[in-house]
Amino acid sequence: HHLARTGLLDTVRFRPMTLPDRFIDHNTQDAQYHEAGLDALAISHTALHALGVAASQQTA
């Protein structure tokens, strides 16, 4: 995880996304994924960041 998060595996552009090591409150699946940072928006943000797409281009 350290290698991926710090960009040392950039030739494969891998960013691990895992459940946090903490309790997530009981809720709908969508709300739990959002709280964990594993919803569609977070996944697309992580992928675009790994590809070097600027934040201003993501909202356009």
Side-chain angles (χ1 to χ4, degrees):
H1 283 165
H2 171 74
L3 293 174
R5 286 188 183 136
T6 57
L8 296 173
L9 294 177
D10 276 351
T11 57
V12 292
R13 298 181 191 244
F14 173 77
R15 298 296 183 274
M17 297 185 74
T18 60
L19 287 169
D21 190 20
R22 62 178 172 78
F23 182 77
I24 297 177
D25 291 326
H26 179 75
N27 208 330
T28 65
Q29 285 182 343
D30 288 339
Q32 289 178 319
Y33 283 131
H34 177 74
E35 184 178 340
L38 295 172
D39 59 350
L41 185 61
I43 292 169
S44 63
H45 176 77
T46 300
L48 292 172
H49 186 265
L51 294 171
V53 177
S56 62
Q57 293 176 342
Q58 293 177 27
T59 57

